[in-house]
Amino acid sequence: MAKHQLLSTVERRETLPESYIRPESDRPRLSEVMTDNNIPLIDLTSPDKERVITEIGLACQTYGFFQVINHGISEDLLEKVMAVGLQFFRLPAEEKAKLYSDEPSKKIRLSTSFNVRKETVHNWRDYLRLHCHPLEEFLPEWPSNPESFKEIISTYCHEVRLLGLRLLGVISLSLGLEEDYIEKVLGEQEQHMAVNYYPQCPEPDLTFGLPKHTDPNAITILLQDPKVAGLQVLKDGDQWIAVNPRPNALVINLGDQLQALSNGAYKSVWHRAVVNAAQERMSVASFLCPCNSAVISPAPSLVADEDAPVYQSYTYDEYYKKFWSRNLDQEHCLELFRTPKLQ
Ligand code: OGA
Ligand code: NI
């Protein structure tokens, strides 16, 4: 039997168990979150391509986040992905127990919180994590219950990958690099997915679904619940803003690797997921990740002649190991790879 129980298999609770309660200084302070601001919205079918490039570049500098509409993935598919994800978390406990694991290196696993072996306070989340590329390699191990899971999720993974690669091209151009610059540096990218399930929470002021973190990969494409808000983004280092869901939009955020490649011009911004008392919430995060042997360093053309690059070179393998060896909400992991200042 699993040591840590999935939230989605226990009965709804009236109070928050002790192990989920954050210290006073580390709570969401929901009343201070801005809800009338939002991250930039970009229409990918806009005929003015230059403008799309400029807008994405600006969003990457200021927010590290943007939403895209008319991204080419059909409304019908987005709905099916959310529906089959929810069906998965509604499966009987015995069915889900088969996939449970606390081991972060496992390529297909159902787990809870973030890293239950390391963390001191737990998070109000269950998640299914899947490796998705190359699809043929991982598909046989994916859940075959619900029956339509493999087909729906694999179609979505394929389309999300194409969208992600297209966005990496636009981001390269917005940095004044060749369109394929970033894709070449990242190598044959891995693709991971987290299907996040945040149950209704009796005391949402005392805990997080996911505490503040940055994503360690290159770019993340998030499909959010169209009706329930929960994602929040730190603006200018001090103001949390709620990303209000917009039907059919996908949320894009830059991970640490694009901050490094852009020599710090673009930001991998702190974000978090909060939970709520009224409704459960789902999100599906797709992560494009450099291949393990990719050597990441700031693009030479983005480093001024007289300056040292802001970050040292490293392999993604080194980075990823460091990321999972820590707590989510510690110092920005990229800080550990900053070029030391000369005295
Ligand atoms: C993530 C993430 C946010 C959300 O999975 O890395 O930031 O709203 N998720 O679920
Ligand atoms: Ni994230």
Side-chain angles (χ1 to χ4, degrees):
M1 187 52 206
K3 202 162 86 206
H4 290 273
Q5 251 185 329
L6 291 165
L7 292 167
S8 58
T9 59
V10 295
E11 266 172 55
R12 197 193 295 181
R13 295 191 176 90
E14 295 303 319
T15 55
L16 190 68
E18 192 89 40
S19 62
Y20 291 83
I21 302 178
R22 296 260 158 190
E24 187 100 36
S25 59
D26 180 27
R27 292 184 185 167
R29 292 151 65 135
L30 297 170
S31 63
E32 294 170 23
V33 174
M34 233 189 227
T35 53
D36 55 356
N37 195 320
N38 213 342
I39 56 175
L41 179 70
I42 292 164
D43 179 348
L44 290 182
T45 49
S46 160
D48 189 346
K49 299 292 168 231
E50 284 306 315
R51 192 163 146 206
V52 170
I53 296 171
T54 310
E55 282 179 357
I56 289 187
L58 271 173
C60 294
Q61 284 168 39
T62 47
Y63 289 84
F65 265 85
F66 51 98
Q67 302 203 57
V68 291
I69 49 169
N70 295 324
H71 38 64
I73 305 183
S74 77
E75 201 178 317
D76 178 55
L77 181 56
L78 299 182
E79 275 172 17
K80 283 184 173 148
V81 169
M82 287 308 244
V84 81
L86 193 56
Q87 256 180 303
F88 174 84
F89 284 101
R90 298 246 158 93
L91 289 173
E94 318 79 74
E95 193 66 22
K96 286 187 289 187
K98 293 183 203 157
L99 285 166
Y100 186 89
S101 168
D102 297 341
E103 172 48 56
S105 66
K106 278 197 74 174
K107 297 185 175 180
I108 288 140
R109 67 189 180 103
L110 173 61
S111 200
T112 190
S113 188
F114 169 64
N115 194 352
V116 280
R117 295 186 181 180
K118 289 220 169 276
E119 66 204 14
T120 46
V121 185
H122 300 317
N123 305 299
W124 201 253
R125 167 182 85 139
D126 286 347
Y127 64 105
L128 173 65
R129 227 184 134 89
L130 304 172
H131 278 223
C132 317
H133 184 83
L135 262 173
E136 322 74 74
E137 183 179 335
F138 299 111
L139 201 56
E141 310 299 320
W142 281 12
S144 40
N145 193 2
E147 214 177 312
S148 56
F149 185 93
K150 283 185 182 175
E151 189 189 327
I152 293 170
I153 301 296
S154 60
T155 307
Y156 179 70
C157 282
H158 177 72
E159 297 198 10
V160 150
R161 185 174 186 88
L162 295 179
L163 174 64
L165 297 177
R166 182 169 150 215
L167 290 169
L168 289 176
V170 178
I171 291 169
S172 288
L173 290 171
S174 75
L175 286 164
L177 303 167
E178 294 287 323
E179 188 168 3
D180 62 356
Y181 181 90
I182 294 176
E183 219 186 309
K184 277 192 175 149
V185 170
L186 302 181
E188 182 60 22
Q189 290 178 73
E190 290 197 4
Q191 183 177 344
H192 304 170
M193 174 183 263
V195 184
N196 297 311
Y197 176 72
Y198 306 99
Q200 282 174 294
C201 177
E203 291 176 277
D205 291 311
L206 306 183
T207 195
F208 289 105
L210 264 179
K212 88 175 208 284
H213 66 283
T214 65
D215 292 351
N217 51 297
I219 192 167
T220 303
I221 299 169
L222 184 81
L223 170 60
Q224 312 200 63
D225 196 311
K227 297 205 188 70
V228 190
L231 172 64
Q232 301 181 344
V233 172
L234 193 61
K235 171 98 195 325
D236 301 329
D238 60 5
Q239 174 66 55
W240 287 101
I241 60 176
V243 176
N244 301 315
R246 203 195 138 105
N248 302 318
L250 291 166
V251 177
I252 313 296
N253 69 284
L254 305 191
D256 298 351
Q257 305 317 311
L258 291 193
Q259 179 168 333
L261 272 174
S262 69
N263 200 35
Y266 287 179
K267 304 282 184 284
S268 171
V269 166
W270 294 104
H271 55 284
R272 64 188 191 182
V274 298
V275 288
N276 76 82
Q279 283 163 300
E280 61 192 354
R281 173 172 178 265
M282 279 216 15
S283 72
V284 179
S286 298
F287 307 101
L288 285 185
C289 322
C291 75
N292 272 326
S293 60
V295 177
I296 309 294
S297 61
S301 66
L302 302 177
V303 181
D305 286 343
E306 63 277 14
D307 293 343
V310 175
Y311 305 106
Q312 306 168 53
S313 338
Y314 53 80
T315 62
Y316 188 58
D317 188 46
E318 287 173 74
Y319 196 90
Y320 204 62
K321 289 205 174 104
K322 185 73 89 186
F323 180 84
W324 278 97
S325 70
R326 308 160 69 247
N327 274 328
L328 254 195
D329 53 356
Q330 276 174 319
E331 157 188 52
H332 204 307
C333 190
L334 200 52
E335 287 304 311
L336 306 171
F337 296 84
R338 194 178 267 279
T339 308
K341 287 229 162 53
L342 293 174
Q343 293 300 322

